[in-house]
Amino acid sequence: MSPRPPADDLPEDKGGSKEDASVFIDDARGPPPPAQGGAGWTPSPVAWFRMLVKELHWSFVLGVVATYGVSQGLGGGITRVASDYYWKDVQKVQPSAAQVYHGVTSIPWLIKPLWGLLTDVLPVAGYRRRPYFVLAGIMGVIAMLIVSLHSKLHVFFALLALMSGSASVAIADVTIDACVAENSLIHPHLAADMISLNGFCASVGGLIGFSISGFLVHAIGSQGALGMLTIPSALVILAGMLLKDVHIPNFPYKQAHMKFVEASGKMLTTLRCPEVWRPCFYMYMSLALSVDIQEGMFYWYTDPTAGPSFSEGFIGFIFAIGSVGSLVGVILYQNILKDYSFRSLLFSSQLLLSLSGMLDLILVLRLNLKFGIPDYYFAVIDEGVAKMINRLKWMPLLVLSSKLCPPGIEGTFFALLMSIDNIGLLSGSWAGGLLLHLLKITRTEFKNLWAAILIRNVLRLLPLALLFLVPRSDPNSILLPADLLTEDDEAGARQVATVELASLTVDANRTNGSLQESKNQEHLDVEREDDEASLLANRS
């Protein structure tokens, strides 16, 4: 999920001056940005989707649907509900431990740069993307079969299997993210649209997954529901096999180490840039300070004495409404908010996130009953509003991350940024587990749950003091300095020598109008020749 601004038509002269470089960067900005304040409603969702299929190629869109819609969306919905019941009823752990375990299973997402480096610089059997989809799917199938078929699995091995399932989704995610990053180079004006496509697929998939998760848990148990996740993993394998990928014959595997070193060096150079590390620090802090106490809420939801004693089906329904709220957030962002500045959107969403958390407080204190609103209705409203605001906060963070990726290592660097975000989420999850433990919130004791909610809501206000780290610009702007968007002759020659770091070199005869056509037909990653900045092309 990451845009980068190079233009489709590259300058033909070979020893460009600084003026030439500046012209190239200006041209790379694409068409003039729309007026500040909104993009207007998309005329037709079907036409929009068909446009993306035409511009980006059906195999890429299939990969997005399989990864975001089915694996992360539908599979994630089932996983969320089934794993909650798995830790509660099968492993019988405390809510604080379950909160920590959920954080542990997210560890594979913290090393996304490793998966990104592998997909960028180390083809398997001559292919850069396809084998990693297949590998991810196979890992998911095996992991979920182990959890579902072993009736008395030790906590450690259960945690290891669920981590492997999480790694399966993470590898598929970083691979499709690399494809999105490459497509953003060819179609910089579609960067926000691709982010919206990802969010749309994830929200719709999550809606379906959460809708059926409770019924699956009730019908076949949490282990059986987790076993159903072999189906999304199998679809990821199919998407990988169908993905139009460039075959790289005679790949010099002995140079892989050098390519890892070069890519790592470029990532460190980029991270030292103030335009990059400042928003990165904000993203981490905003997520880490959004303390997660969801397991405490889940145990309270299902408690027959202190809580409302919601059934499995209703728990799934609550989360399904959350997916509807998330989908509404995607629609609002895509049609109204995507051209507003990062800082203004993040200020509003962070403030609303803290205020919306008070709905949990009203529910736990049972104040809703005094207003005549049953727990069932209020819990649904609470979840829908919370997920909508979370999505409105997450979307500009994703677009901001995508605008910070330097040419040549877009997929890898975007994975690094997502790892920073995931470290923030993990910090928030473990801090929530610690908070639940300190307040002595257990499987049956919830008298201090209100205090945990109040502390969480106050902490959500703290990132507002760090908003000065976020650029004032909007998604149509170029955020990286010019020296990170261009390369000198020596760097260009080095990159040609390690051509597989990004792609096959473009045939010199494919110029001007035929360049884009060759990208669409052959789905090649394109490198700029000699001293020109590297241009990655996805299967478009």
Side-chain angles (χ1 to χ4, degrees):
M1 300 181 286
S2 48
R4 192 78 280 117
D8 289 341
D9 295 328
L10 303 174
E12 293 298 323
D13 56 287
K14 302 294 182 191
S17 62
K18 292 182 180 179
E19 290 77 5
D20 296 328
S22 65
V23 170
F24 171 71
I25 295 172
D26 290 337
D27 291 341
R29 298 176 186 268
Q36 179 83 0
W41 290 90
T42 302
S44 167
V46 175
W48 175 70
F49 189 82
R50 291 179 63 183
M51 178 271 295
L52 292 177
V53 170
K54 180 180 178 181
E55 293 282 342
L56 307 173
H57 196 268
W58 66 267
S59 65
F60 165 77
V61 176
L62 174 63
V64 171
V65 173
T67 304
Y68 277 97
V70 181
S71 180
Q72 291 191 45
L74 187 146
I78 296 175
T79 301
R80 178 57 189 273
V81 177
S83 62
D84 280 345
Y85 279 100
Y86 179 76
W87 291 120
K88 178 177 181 287
D89 297 334
V90 178
Q91 297 293 344
K92 300 185 183 302
V93 302
Q94 296 293 342
S96 56
Q99 188 74 57
V100 172
Y101 292 158
H102 276 289
V104 171
T105 58
S106 69
I107 287 178
W109 292 80
L110 308 185
I111 54 175
K112 284 182 68 175
L114 174 60
W115 316 131
L117 276 171
L118 290 174
T119 61
D120 278 347
V121 308
L122 191 63
V124 177
Y127 292 99
R128 299 174 59 231
R129 309 300 185 200
R130 187 181 296 175
Y132 292 97
F133 277 117
V134 176
L135 172 64
I138 292 175
M139 287 180 60
V141 170
I142 295 175
M144 293 302 103
L145 284 177
I146 291 175
V147 174
S148 62
L149 297 179
H150 201 298
S151 58
K152 294 182 179 180
L153 194 62
H154 189 274
V155 171
F156 174 78
F157 294 107
L159 194 59
L160 190 62
L162 290 175
M163 281 181 63
S164 299
S166 179
S168 165
V169 181
I171 293 172
D173 173 84
V174 78
T175 306
I176 198 64
D177 281 351
C179 296
V180 173
E182 293 169 342
N183 260 324
S184 298
L185 290 171
I186 309 305
H187 310 281
H189 59 288
L190 293 179
D193 293 273
M194 283 186 280
I195 297 297
S196 297
L197 175 64
N198 296 344
F200 176 81
C201 292
S203 298
V204 173
L207 173 60
I208 299 173
F210 284 124
S211 297
I212 66 176
S213 60
F215 299 104
L216 286 175
V217 171
H218 180 75
I220 59 179
S222 58
Q223 288 180 277
L226 290 172
M228 295 293 292
L229 297 177
T230 56
I231 297 176
S233 296
L235 184 59
V236 169
I237 296 175
L238 179 63
M241 295 174 65
L242 295 177
L243 186 70
K244 204 84 183 264
D245 203 0
V246 177
H247 185 258
I248 306 175
N250 304 319
F251 179 79
Y253 288 98
K254 294 182 180 179
Q255 298 180 11
H257 174 72
M258 180 178 63
K259 296 170 187 175
F260 272 100
V261 172
E262 289 181 357
S264 300
K266 189 166 185 178
M267 284 195 296
L268 290 175
T269 300
T270 305
L271 278 176
R272 293 192 187 103
C273 177
E275 289 87 348
V276 176
W277 71 258
R278 289 161 60 93
C280 286
F281 182 73
Y282 171 82
M283 288 188 285
Y284 168 77
M285 292 302 299
S286 69
L287 295 170
L289 291 172
S290 295
V291 175
D292 186 1
I293 56 170
Q294 183 58 43
E295 292 310 304
M297 291 297 298
F298 169 74
Y299 277 62
W300 180 81
Y301 276 155
T302 57
D303 189 81
T305 304
S309 187
F310 291 150
S311 66
E312 295 95 335
F314 191 74
I315 289 292
F317 177 71
I318 290 176
F319 289 139
I321 295 301
S323 293
V324 174
S326 180
L327 181 59
V328 171
V330 173
I331 294 172
L332 288 175
Y333 177 81
Q334 168 65 20
N335 291 284
I336 299 177
L337 303 173
K338 70 177 182 179
D339 292 311
Y340 282 90
S341 69
F342 294 114
R343 191 177 294 186
S344 62
L345 276 180
L346 291 174
F347 174 83
S348 302
S349 60
Q350 193 69 41
L351 181 61
L352 290 174
L353 190 63
S354 177
L355 295 177
S356 66
M358 293 300 176
L359 295 177
D360 284 337
L361 188 62
I362 293 174
L363 182 62
V364 168
L365 294 177
R366 315 311 288 272
L367 297 179
N368 57 294
L369 297 179
K370 295 183 179 180
F371 296 128
I373 305 176
D375 291 332
Y376 293 91
Y377 294 118
F378 199 85
V380 166
I381 295 171
D382 181 8
E383 185 71 12
V385 171
K387 288 298 184 290
M388 180 188 69
I389 296 174
N390 262 305
R391 178 61 68 174
L392 288 176
K393 173 188 174 181
W394 188 243
M395 296 292 282
L397 287 179
L398 290 177
V399 178
L400 175 60
S401 297
S402 71
K403 304 297 287 187
L404 299 177
C405 299
I409 54 169
E410 292 87 354
T412 303
F413 198 79
F414 189 86
L416 175 64
L417 297 179
M418 289 300 96
S419 292
I420 294 173
D421 290 349
N422 285 312
I423 293 173
L425 292 172
L426 177 62
S427 301
S429 179
W430 284 356
L434 178 61
L435 182 62
L436 293 174
H437 177 73
L438 293 176
L439 294 177
K440 295 180 171 56
I441 298 169
T442 67
R443 294 170 57 88
T444 57
E445 181 58 57
F446 303 98
K447 67 178 182 179
N448 291 327
L449 184 57
W450 69 271
I453 295 171
L454 188 61
I455 293 172
R456 178 200 65 183
N457 295 341
V458 172
L459 289 175
R460 285 177 174 178
L461 291 174
L462 298 183
L464 295 177
L466 300 174
L467 271 174
F468 68 92
L469 298 172
V470 177
R472 296 180 180 271
S473 55
D474 59 58
N476 301 297
S477 305
I478 292 178
L479 303 183
L480 290 178
D483 58 338
L484 290 179
L485 293 173
T486 57
E487 298 174 310
D488 56 23
D489 292 341
E490 181 181 353
R494 242 187 351 258
Q495 189 154 15
V496 171
T498 57
V499 63
E500 288 80 6
L501 173 63
S503 61
L504 296 175
T505 42
V506 176
D507 188 329
N509 294 325
R510 293 174 186 161
T511 56
N512 302 329
S514 63
L515 177 59
Q516 185 62 47
E517 181 181 353
S518 67
K519 293 169 187 170
N520 294 333
Q521 291 176 348
E522 299 180 20
H523 318 283
L524 296 178
D525 294 322
V526 183
E527 280 193 343
R528 216 167 78 199
E529 296 189 10
D530 298 329
D531 61 329
E532 296 169 347
S534 167
L535 177 59
L536 298 179
N538 187 33
R539 293 133 298 279
S540 50

